[in-house]
């Protein structure tokens, strides 16, 4: 994979994230040379969800109160049903995602993660994909939903499901290497 030395990526999650949707980007982005921080509303560990039961805990590197988008090149939003639904109710989490977007930095969401793009207003007018059951939510929010493995719209990267993670991570790496993106208001 491409060299991301000197790049820093934030993965925002809380309890109930889909295990592979945090673990795979975390491992692959680190392998590509990036510094990767897992950030959550709470300190300590957060527990993933693996298929039909709780997965493996993941160490939280920093809490929401300890981070700012200015210190990162991209934010990754794993899915799972519980994780993004919980984060949607957290004003600090939504503000952080908006901060990344406003600074032209990469915002990447997989599976149910695009729910957060609705609540931040990022979805409106953008080409996106997601887990199929979010299609109507995204359309109602003004997104242009596409049934594709990975969809990118000016630095906003979305993907459908865990099977699509290799393409999702490859696109994140490509976008981070390109740098900031000019974005028109939706």
């Amino acid at each position: 994979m491409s060299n991301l030395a000197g790049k820093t990526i934030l993965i925002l999650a809380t309890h109930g994230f889909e295990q592979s949707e945090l673990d795979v980007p975390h491992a692959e982005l680190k392998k590509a040379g990036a510094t990767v921080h897992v950030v959550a509303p709470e300190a300590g560990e957060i527990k993933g969800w693996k298929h039909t039961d709780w997965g493996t805990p993941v160490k939280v590197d920093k809490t929401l109160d300890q981070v700012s988008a200015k210190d990162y090149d991209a934010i990754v939003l794993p899915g799972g049903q519980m994780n993004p639904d919980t984060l949607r109710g957290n004003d600090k989490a939504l503000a952080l995602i908006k901060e990344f977007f406003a600074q032209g930095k990469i915002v990447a969401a997989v599976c149910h993660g695009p729910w957060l793009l609705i609540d931040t207003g990022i979805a409106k007018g953008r080409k996106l994909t997601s887990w199929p059951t979010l299609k109507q939510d995204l359309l109602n929010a003004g997104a242009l939903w596409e049934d594709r493995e990975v969809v990118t719209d000016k630095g906003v990267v979305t993907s459908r499901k865990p099977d699509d993670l290799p393409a999702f991570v490859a696109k994140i790496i490509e976008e981070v290497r390109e740098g900031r993106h000019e974005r028109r208001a939706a």
Side-chain angles (χ1 to χ4, degrees), residues 11-183:
I11 298 177
L12 176 62
T14 192
H15 298 289
F17 62 88
E18 183 64 38
Q19 194 78 47
S20 64
E21 294 173 13
L22 187 150
D23 291 351
V24 171
H26 188 267
E28 293 301 314
L29 292 167
K30 282 179 75 171
K31 192 164 115 181
T35 299
V36 182
H37 294 150
V38 174
V39 174
E42 57 278 323
E45 293 180 336
I46 52 175
K47 192 173 263 195
W49 188 259
K50 190 171 183 179
H51 307 297
T52 59
D53 203 351
W54 290 105
T56 308
V58 171
K59 180 185 173 291
V60 172
D61 298 307
K62 296 182 179 204
T63 64
L64 274 172
D65 293 334
Q66 298 172 312
V67 297
S68 170
K70 69 179 175 48
D71 299 323
Y72 294 89
D73 297 288
I75 187 168
V76 177
L77 307 169
Q81 292 174 324
M82 292 177 270
N83 171 59
D85 196 47
T86 300
L87 290 173
R88 294 170 85 177
N90 186 312
D91 291 338
K92 288 181 182 177
L94 297 177
L96 180 65
I97 297 164
K98 287 180 193 178
E99 193 181 339
F100 272 88
F101 183 77
Q103 292 178 21
K105 295 182 177 183
I106 309 312
V107 176
V110 61
C111 193
H112 285 75
W115 261 339
L116 294 161
L117 304 182
I118 293 171
D119 288 88
T120 55
I122 294 169
K124 186 175 183 180
R126 305 233 168 268
K127 291 185 284 185
L128 303 173
T129 195
S130 66
W131 185 256
T133 60
L134 271 65
K135 175 183 177 179
Q136 196 59 53
D137 293 346
L138 287 162
L139 291 171
N140 290 344
L144 308 167
W145 191 84
E146 298 180 7
D147 186 15
R148 293 190 7 229
E149 185 177 56
V150 177
V151 173
T152 305
D153 187 336
K154 293 184 175 66
V156 177
V157 180
T158 52
S159 191
R160 295 179 302 196
K161 57 190 176 196
D163 293 347
D164 302 331
L165 286 170
F168 178 63
V169 173
K171 187 50 103 169
I172 293 169
I173 291 169
E174 178 185 323
E175 293 293 310
V176 168
R177 289 181 52 87
E178 283 180 13
R180 291 178 191 244
H181 287 72
E182 292 296 319
R183 297 192 173 113

